[in-house]
Each structure stands twice: as structure tokens, then as C-alpha cells.
Amino acid sequence: GENVEQHPSTLSVQEGDSAVIKCTYSDSASNYFPWYKQELGKRPQLIIDIRSNVGEKKDQRIAVTLNKTAKHFSLHITETQPEDSAVYFCAASPRGVGNTGKLIFGQGTTLQVKP
Amino acid sequence: DTEVTQTPKHLVMGMTNKKSLKCEQHMGHRAMYWYKQKAKKPPELMFVYSYEKLSINESVPSRFSPECPNSSLLNLHLHALQPEDSALYLCASSPSEGRIGRTGELFFGEGSRLTVL
């Protein structure tokens, strides 16, 4: 089955710097890759996603890149702010009968943005 | 209404109790999910309902029993739980695109924090 590896597990940056979180996946048939942000005590919330027919997607300070050949995708946050501090989870959706709606999550990255 | 509402927010139960977690959404989504999340860990999929039918059961112990009474409601019935079942239980919904292999955005509820004594 699908396996998602996420690195680093913790990341500390200075306010205004960029942050990059990387994930690799094992199932080459996976076709949907969302990123979720979870603040302490809150629900996971989708911040950006990308489908397998696209190589890059950007939304203001957040961008995601996908390399299907290498089976990895990355989250890039520019001009980080203290409110970006949270746990970030990547996920992959394996394709195929019986897998509709299934997301496999990475282990999470705790991002700390220091003022 | 873009909310997934879960009740109760907190639940403490003994190992012999029977309780239920409830989830409701009014976004017209036809896929609903139960996830379990332990502290500092990612959400783990338990069940998926698609068009009110159970489509995925991730080998969850029978002490957890899901129910989908209609397209807006999802319940998780709990019976004879163990202390290691203590966790945050997240309900989620997504628009069903009606095609096998397509996945839409998951909308999560705030979760029900369960403590089993």
C-alpha cells in the first residue's frame, strides 16, 4: 500500500525566512497530494493541494511542487509569520478500486516561526 | 454552511460504557469519514462512507461501530473500549466526484476528544 515519508519532523525559522517541507510517496498511481495545517487543539485545515497532472501550484505565500518521476512533493512557505507556526501534514491519495476517499498522511512537521 | 459539526467535544467513559460520537454536515457532501488522531501523530483513517454505504473499513476493532443514518449524519458507536483508544476522533466530509480514484478536499470537524478510563 501507499507510504508517505515527511521531513523534517521539526523546523524552526526566523520570521520572514522561507520554510520548506518535503514528502515522498511510494505508490506511483497516487494522484492527489494535499497539505494540511493543524494548530494546537484545532482541526486539520487544507492549505493547498495539487493533482498529478500539475507540477506546481501557488497561493500567495504558499506553493507546492510535485515531481512525479521522483515521487516527491514539497511545501514552500515564503515570508513566514508567527501565525504560520503549526503542525503541517502532507498526504497522498492512492488510486484504485476501494481507495476512493482514502488519504495517507505523512508523520507531520512542527514548524516554529520565531518573531 | 461550510462546517462539519461534532458532538460531544469531550467524552470520558469507562471500559464498560456504551457511548456515541456524532457528526453532521450540511454541505451536500456524499462522502464522510472517521479518523483517529493520537497526540503528535497524523490522523489515521478508520472508516469511509460513500453515498451512505460503508466503503472502507481499515480493519478497525468491532468495539467501534460506525453508522450513517442519512447523507448528513455520521455516528460512531463505542462499546467496551480500552484505555489505548483514548484519542481525538475526527469526522470529515468531502464532495464525492462519483468516480473511483478521485478524491476531493476533506473538511474536518473540530473533533471529539475521548478519554477511556
Side-chain angles (χ1 to χ4, degrees):
Chain A
E2 175 64 283
N3 182 50
V4 178
E5 299 280 339
Q6 183 172 346
H7 299 280
S9 56
T10 60
L11 180 59
S12 181
V13 301
Q14 213 57 44
E15 183 177 359
D17 287 350
S18 295
V20 180
I21 303 171
K22 298 182 179 182
C23 289
T24 59
Y25 61 98
S26 59
D27 186 349
S28 57
S30 289
N31 62 351
Y32 175 67
F33 306 93
W35 286 88
Y36 283 83
K37 175 184 180 183
Q38 189 173 25
E39 297 176 26
L40 192 62
K42 301 282 189 182
R43 75 185 87 188
Q45 289 195 292
L46 181 76
I47 55 171
I48 197 166
D49 58 9
I50 192 167
R51 295 195 183 271
S52 57
N53 58 348
V54 175
E56 184 174 357
K57 185 176 177 181
K58 191 173 180 181
D59 182 5
Q60 299 182 327
R61 296 186 297 110
I62 295 171
V64 57
T65 58
L66 171 65
N67 183 326
K68 284 182 61 180
T69 304
K71 288 189 282 187
H72 67 70
F73 56 112
S74 300
L75 177 71
H76 304 254
I77 306 174
T78 58
E79 299 170 29
T80 53
Q81 300 165 4
E83 51 265 38
D84 294 329
S85 297
V87 180
Y88 291 80
F89 293 103
C90 63
S93 176
R95 208 193 328 209
V97 175
N99 283 328
T100 303
K102 191 168 181 174
L103 280 183
I104 308 299
F105 285 87
Q107 289 300 303
T109 296
T110 301
L111 174 64
Q112 182 186 27
V113 180
K114 298 177 184 175
Chain B
D1 184 359
T2 57
E3 288 275 318
V4 175
T5 305
Q6 289 187 243
T7 56
K9 289 189 177 2
H10 299 275
L11 178 62
V12 180
M13 59 186 290
M15 289 189 284
T16 58
N17 292 157
K18 282 185 182 181
K19 298 284 184 184
S20 296
L21 305 180
K22 297 184 183 301
C23 176
E24 190 168 0
Q25 57 87 15
H26 295 288
M27 294 179 278
H29 291 172
R30 303 311 298 270
M32 295 185 76
Y33 311 75
W34 281 114
Y35 279 85
K36 173 182 176 180
Q37 188 177 28
K38 293 279 216 178
K40 300 186 187 299
K41 295 291 186 183
E44 292 177 37
L45 182 65
M46 300 175 72
F47 303 104
V48 180
Y49 273 83
S50 180
Y51 291 86
E52 296 143 59
K53 291 194 186 325
L54 183 65
S55 61
I56 296 177
N57 176 343
E58 291 288 274
S59 303
V60 179
S62 60
R63 57 186 185 269
F64 295 91
S65 175
E67 179 196 19
C68 189
N70 60 55
S71 60
S72 300
L73 295 174
L74 186 66
N75 298 322
L76 186 63
H77 302 297
L78 315 171
H79 174 54
L81 295 193
Q82 305 295 311
E84 58 265 29
D85 296 322
S86 299
L88 180 68
Y89 288 84
L90 292 161
C91 174
S93 70
S94 74
S96 172
E97 298 182 74
R99 289 170 56 188
I100 290 171
R102 300 275 298 179
T103 302
E105 175 183 350
L106 281 186
F107 290 77
F108 282 95
E110 291 286 5
S112 293
R113 189 164 298 282
L114 173 67
T115 303
V116 182
L117 301 176

